[in-house]
Amino acid sequence: MLGSLPNSHRKIEPELMRRLMNDNQVDDIISSGVDTKGLDLLNTRTPVGSLSEADEFTSDEMRRYLLYSQNIQESPITGQEPFPGEMLKPSSENIILSSEMLDRMVEYYKVTYVMYNFRKPFGEGPDDSIVISVKINKFGRCRIGSEIFGSSMSSRHVKSSFILAKFVTSDGEVDCYPGQIQYFFKHTINLQNCPVEHFLAYVRWYRPVTSGNVRYYFSSNNDHETCTVELWKSEFYPESRDCIIPVHHILGRFIPVSYKISDRRNAVEYLAINPISRKFHI
């Protein structure tokens, strides 16, 4: 039957059958009476086809990643922690950072490792300051689990470069911000005479609108919790240390859509943020 359906001649029928078989395996587990819950299903069967992309990562690793990305206050991270994924091409090695970017990196490390002092080469700072490297390895894409995130560095993958991440605001509240990944990168510093590699992303963040009524324009009965699509300004914040985040903080992707709100006098264009559910195959 599948062979009779119109297709793109990419031989997707076997993959569809594998997915159906995988679904049947999950049904068997659920109906077997065995007490297996949530991400524990990841360890019960060997996935096939494209499902095997996430197989090298255990359910414990995925749990840790979810904890990092969702509970930012309770799970502070530095960027050196393992994550269930890898950096992908296009890539460039040994890229020399600009003076401005070095300043941002120094700020990032000072906030991340409050017990140490940092400075850029030939920069000012205490005698015990750790001098950070001026080079990074740059990447256009990053795979986390079975999902691939792009960046503006790779024009072919710009559509997957729009992400959401949580921040702790100045008043101690946690808010979710939309942004566009410019590139991913690896950067190594010496901590206690040991090289420590960090997995980071450089992101430009969109500005929020000043009115809650506009941001939650699509809410039901003025209940912000029911608002799945938010309106933000279409311009970015200025570049700063906040542009540097560990890849672990990436919460998910969104689709940006221009949206206008009109009244009798004028029309204002905003950026509608449409979140995309994360892909976690079992």
Side-chain angles (χ1 to χ4, degrees):
M1 180 181 69
L2 286 173
S4 65
L5 295 175
N7 64 76
S8 62
H9 303 289
R10 295 181 182 176
K11 298 182 179 180
I12 65 170
E13 292 86 351
E15 180 65 18
L16 290 174
M17 290 302 297
R18 293 189 188 103
R19 288 175 180 267
L20 290 172
M21 292 171 64
N22 190 73
D23 290 342
N24 289 334
Q25 289 176 342
V26 173
D27 290 337
D28 290 341
I29 296 170
I30 295 173
S31 60
S32 66
V34 178
D35 187 15
T36 306
K37 298 180 180 179
L39 290 172
D40 291 333
L41 288 171
L42 288 171
N43 287 331
T44 59
R45 293 291 189 275
T46 301
V48 293
S50 63
L51 299 175
S52 62
E53 290 178 349
D55 188 41
E56 61 186 285
F57 312 114
T58 66
S59 59
D60 286 339
E61 288 175 317
M62 189 61 77
R63 281 195 186 93
R64 284 197 298 271
Y65 174 77
L66 290 172
L67 185 65
Y68 293 152
S69 61
Q70 296 177 2
N71 301 321
I72 187 172
Q73 286 178 309
E74 299 177 9
S75 304
I77 61 172
T78 63
Q80 63 168 293
E81 296 82 1
F83 72 99
E86 60 183 334
M87 303 290 193
L88 300 173
K89 294 181 178 180
S91 61
S92 301
E93 295 185 353
N94 297 321
I95 301 298
I96 297 179
L97 297 172
S98 66
S99 179
E100 293 79 9
M101 185 61 182
L102 282 171
D103 289 335
R104 296 182 196 121
M105 293 296 295
V106 168
E107 288 186 58
Y108 172 80
Y109 285 124
K110 283 182 177 179
V111 172
T112 303
Y113 299 100
V114 294
M115 70 291 293
Y116 298 112
N117 294 309
F118 296 89
R119 65 177 176 85
K120 63 183 180 181
F122 308 109
E124 297 181 356
D127 293 338
D128 63 348
S129 295
I130 297 172
V131 179
I132 69 170
S133 171
V134 300
K135 294 181 179 180
I136 62 171
N137 291 336
K138 209 171 183 179
F139 299 85
R141 297 180 299 152
C142 179
R143 179 161 65 87
I144 301 174
S146 60
E147 188 166 11
I148 295 179
F149 295 85
S151 71
S152 62
M153 170 181 165
S154 176
S155 58
R156 292 178 56 190
H157 306 99
V158 169
K159 288 184 178 180
S160 58
S161 66
F162 299 96
I163 66 159
L164 298 167
K166 288 186 176 180
F167 279 89
V168 179
T169 60
S170 57
D171 57 3
E173 297 294 323
V174 176
D175 200 359
C176 192
Y177 277 73
Q180 184 184 27
I181 299 172
Q182 306 301 296
Y183 54 86
F184 299 94
F185 66 104
K186 295 180 182 179
H187 187 255
T188 301
I189 58 174
N190 285 313
L191 293 178
Q192 297 180 339
N193 296 320
C194 293
V196 178
E197 187 175 53
H198 294 74
F199 306 95
L200 307 169
Y202 194 81
V203 186
R204 297 296 306 275
W205 301 106
Y206 289 102
R207 287 181 176 273
V209 295
T210 55
S211 169
N213 290 333
V214 174
R215 176 174 176 177
Y216 304 108
Y217 182 78
F218 297 104
S219 63
S220 176
N221 298 322
N222 294 321
D223 182 2
H224 296 172
E225 297 298 325
T226 65
C227 188
T228 57
V229 177
E230 297 182 3
L231 295 181
W232 287 64
K233 293 182 179 179
S234 57
E235 65 263 21
F236 293 125
Y237 273 110
E239 295 184 65
S240 68
R241 184 262 300 173
D242 289 332
C243 292
I244 303 168
I245 65 168
V247 296
H248 313 67
H249 280 180
I250 296 175
L251 191 61
R253 293 195 292 125
F254 72 90
I255 298 174
V257 178
S258 296
Y259 187 85
K260 287 184 179 180
I261 297 180
S262 303
D263 56 27
R264 294 181 179 180
R265 296 182 178 180
N266 54 21
V268 180
E269 186 170 298
Y270 298 98
L271 190 70
I273 308 299
N274 301 272
I276 301 175
S277 298
R278 291 299 307 274
K279 300 176 183 177
F280 296 114
H281 293 312
I282 58 174

